[in-house]
Amino acid sequence: MRLALWQGTSPASDIEAACAQAEVALAAAAAMGAAALVLPEVWLPGYNQPGIPALALPLDSAPLHRLAAAARTHKTALVMGYAERAGDRLYNSAACFGPDGALLCNYRKVQLYGPREAALYTPGDTLHTFRLGTETAAILICYDIEFAPHVSSLAARGTTLILVPTANMAPFTHVPRATVPAMAASHGVTIAYANYCGTEGDLTYVGTSTIAGPHGEILAQAGETPTLLVTDLPPRDLGRLSTQATDLRQL
């Protein structure tokens, strides 16, 4: 399976620009043969925007229909973070549209990060798995991937690929460089971690979007500028996969 990540600057509350940038990245990923493209956290309308309650979108909204149609046009799955409005609640969510434009998953972030997210969003309470090409996939969002029990739970359910829209800011450079590859190796899964770059309000993003393979190898990693990462996922070598899950001694 060939996978792509888009590392870009924040759309800064411009929904039209966000959709247009996603469409360009999706077209480029499709032209390179990618089966799926992952965008950063709260791509619609941008992670660190002051007007998120007013700009939050229901799943059944025109911008999401537009991006589902783009996935169908390019026959390439799309995973993108967005601020979701569901009744009187907001969620930090990510939707996955399949290569036919159908909704494969809508995931709500479980581990909200910091007082800002806690003030805006209701935490999700469910981990989902779904089929994406040859992989059993799941979505986690940013801080979620730093919690080993969530990764372990998904691996125990047969997940082989975890797609992670993120908005990782300075000074937390260790997350893409160390935490993500370690989580991948410890649980025998591929992790695709799509971050922002540049600045947004009082945040400076660290870039470093990363695809880490199931043996902990870094398959592709961006720097600090806008980047389309594309790489082929390797076959899982059963002889090299971690056996921690079966070897753990409960004390």
Side-chain angles (χ1 to χ4, degrees), residues 137-159:
I139 299 172
L140 293 177
I141 298 175
C142 199
Y143 197 33
D144 290 333
I145 197 64
E146 299 178 46
F147 289 80
H150 300 323
V151 182
S152 177
S153 174
L154 289 170
R157 293 162 58 183
T159 300

Side-chain angles (χ1 to χ4, degrees), residues 3 5 191 208-213 217-222 229-231:
L3 185 65
L5 307 185
I191 299 175
T208 325
S209 294
T210 299
I211 303 174
E217 68 276 42
I218 293 178
L219 302 173
Q221 191 168 72
L229 283 184
V230 181
T231 192

Side-chain angles (χ1 to χ4, degrees), residues 14-54:
D14 188 335
I15 300 294
E16 170 61 32
C19 289
Q21 192 174 158
E23 288 166 338
V24 170
L26 192 61
M32 297 177 72
L37 171 71
V38 187
L39 301 178
E41 181 179 7
V42 194
W43 183 251
L44 301 175
Y47 176 79
N48 191 33
Q49 292 300 301
I52 283 180

Side-chain angles (χ1 to χ4, degrees), residues 7-8 197-198 207 222-227:
Q7 175 176 291
C197 58
E224 299 179 357
T225 57
T227 305

